[in-house]
Structure formats: C-alpha cells, structure tokens
Amino acid sequence: MLRVPDKRLALQAYEQILELILTGKLQPGELVNERRLAEILALSRTPVRDALLMLEGEGLLLRQGSRGLQIRQVRIEDYMDALQIRLMLEPAAARIAAGKVAGERLSQLTGQLQSILAEGDGKRADRAVVREVDEALHGTIADAVGNPQLSSIIRTLRRQTLMFDLRSMPERLGDTCREHMAILAAIGAGDGETAAAAMASHLGRVRDSIIQRLTRT
C-alpha cells in the first residue's frame, strides 16, 4: 500500500523525462544527472531513479558503466528495424481492434485530427498536440486488442521511432492525419481487413518518406 504513491510519482517522472527526451531538451549522447533531473522535476530522487530504470528497460537510455545512464543515439538503422517490426504488429492489431473501440473514443480522436488539419493542413499545428494525438490513436488501437504484452511492445517501438519522427518530415503531418482518419473509419465500421491495410499503408508511407529524404540529393 505504501508503494502506490511512489509508483504514481515514478510514472509522473517517467512521462516528464520522456517529454524532455522527445522534445530534444535532453540530447542524444547526453549523460543523465539524476540529482539535476530531480531538481528540474521538483521530485525526490527515488521516483526519478525508478523512472530512469523504466526508460533504460525500454532502450531509450543506455548504461555507461560507472558514468551512469546516457540518452540513446537512435541511428537510422535502429529506426528502420523498429519500423519494420511495427509493420508486422500494428496492422494485425488494427485488424483485431476493428469494432472494439468505443464510438465516443473514435469520434474524439477523429475530431482532434480534424482540428489539426484545420490549422493549415497540419503544418502550423503544435507538435506536442500532434504527438499526443498520435500516441493516443496508436495506443488506443493497441489496447483494444486486449493483450497487455502486445500493447507494451507496440508502445515501446513507437517511442523508439518517435525520437526520429519529431525531428523530421513536418510536411507529412497533413497526410498523417488523413491516414489516421482512414484507419479510425475502418475500425469504427468493424472492417478489420481495411483497418489492417490502412495501418500498413500509413506505416509504409512513413518508411518511404524517410528513405526518400535520406537519399535526396
């Protein structure tokens, strides 16, 4: 019973540190200073330490012996490997999730995507809002499968790819919103095959855009 508040604080610290990583305030290769982080987050070192262990377990932090933990430098090869696994898992998750997500939730997510598009095809939208909606959409689909282990794996893979996404391809925001709405529409209609195809198409276009950008002369 006494550990519940500590667990809650650890999750709070986890989300805040993850935000610092994803927004670039903690740079790849930077060593993590536990005491400094505790001061920044206005938390004790215990929940911060627990949060850092969680992030290490997800592969976003690397242990450098006596030097402590370091923000992982995500290489393009790591990104592509993670995206390939997502292409195997997430279309299957979308197929299973079809017809299993509450209509209210689908309407909420669709409305948020439409709002982003209204901000000038997504190009002027707040990146934090875009990421929040993206996380909510993929997380909702993963959770609807009813397999906590699968959901955890998908979320971990997404965080690894998000570290690259946030620094690249802002021009894809509009297309991403429309692709997401197509996925939600298929899930709402209970059409598993169309949902799976829409998810595979979305992730495939993300992959192709990355390759195109890297090979651009």
Side-chain angles (χ1 to χ4, degrees):
M1 295 294 290
L2 294 177
R3 289 292 297 170
V4 173
D6 289 343
K7 183 176 181 181
R8 190 180 303 118
L9 287 174
L11 290 173
Q12 176 185 330
Y14 168 89
E15 293 294 342
Q16 290 178 291
I17 297 170
L18 180 62
E19 178 73 11
L20 293 174
I21 294 173
L22 295 179
T23 55
K25 293 178 181 177
L26 288 176
Q27 292 289 322
E30 182 178 343
L31 287 172
V32 175
N33 187 308
E34 183 183 300
R35 184 187 300 277
R36 177 170 167 267
L37 275 177
E39 292 174 354
I40 292 172
L41 303 180
L43 293 170
S44 70
R45 294 179 66 176
T46 298
V48 170
R49 187 178 303 116
D50 290 343
L52 293 176
L53 289 173
M54 293 165 64
L55 290 163
E56 181 185 8
E58 291 185 350
L60 296 182
L61 299 178
L62 298 175
R63 190 164 295 279
Q64 301 297 325
S66 61
R67 299 174 64 205
L69 293 167
Q70 183 182 53
I71 308 297
R72 180 185 177 190
Q73 174 70 58
V74 179
R75 303 175 304 132
I76 186 59
E77 293 84 0
D78 298 326
Y79 174 91
M80 287 301 185
D81 287 348
L83 191 57
Q84 182 179 24
I85 301 172
R86 286 183 62 190
L87 271 161
M88 296 175 184
L89 297 180
E90 292 198 61
R95 180 183 293 109
I96 297 170
K100 295 183 178 179
V101 180
E104 295 86 346
R105 180 58 168 163
L106 292 172
S107 296
Q108 178 190 32
L109 291 168
T110 300
Q112 291 173 323
L113 292 166
Q114 290 171 338
S115 295
I116 292 171
L117 281 173
E119 293 290 331
D121 204 25
K123 293 180 182 178
R124 294 192 299 271
D126 187 303
R127 292 309 298 255
V129 172
V130 172
R131 180 165 49 78
E132 182 180 348
V133 175
D134 188 73
E135 180 76 14
L137 182 143
H138 286 272
T140 294
I141 294 170
D143 291 342
V145 174
N147 185 323
Q149 291 189 53
L150 177 62
S151 180
S152 177
I153 290 170
I154 288 175
R155 289 176 188 276
T156 297
L157 289 168
R158 291 200 67 258
R159 287 186 177 118
Q160 291 174 10
T161 55
L162 274 174
M163 292 181 75
F164 190 95
D165 287 342
L166 289 173
R167 299 195 299 271
S168 62
M169 303 188 305
E171 69 278 3
R172 259 200 53 80
L173 287 175
D175 288 340
T176 294
C177 287
R178 286 183 282 272
E179 291 160 15
H180 279 166
M181 287 192 287
I183 296 168
L184 292 175
I187 288 175
D191 187 342
E193 292 308 314
T194 299
M199 180 66 80
S201 176
H202 165 58
L203 294 175
R205 288 175 181 174
V206 171
R207 177 200 57 205
D208 293 346
S209 294
I210 291 290
I211 292 173
Q212 186 178 47
R213 167 160 290 206
L214 291 172
T215 57
R216 188 179 300 162
T217 57

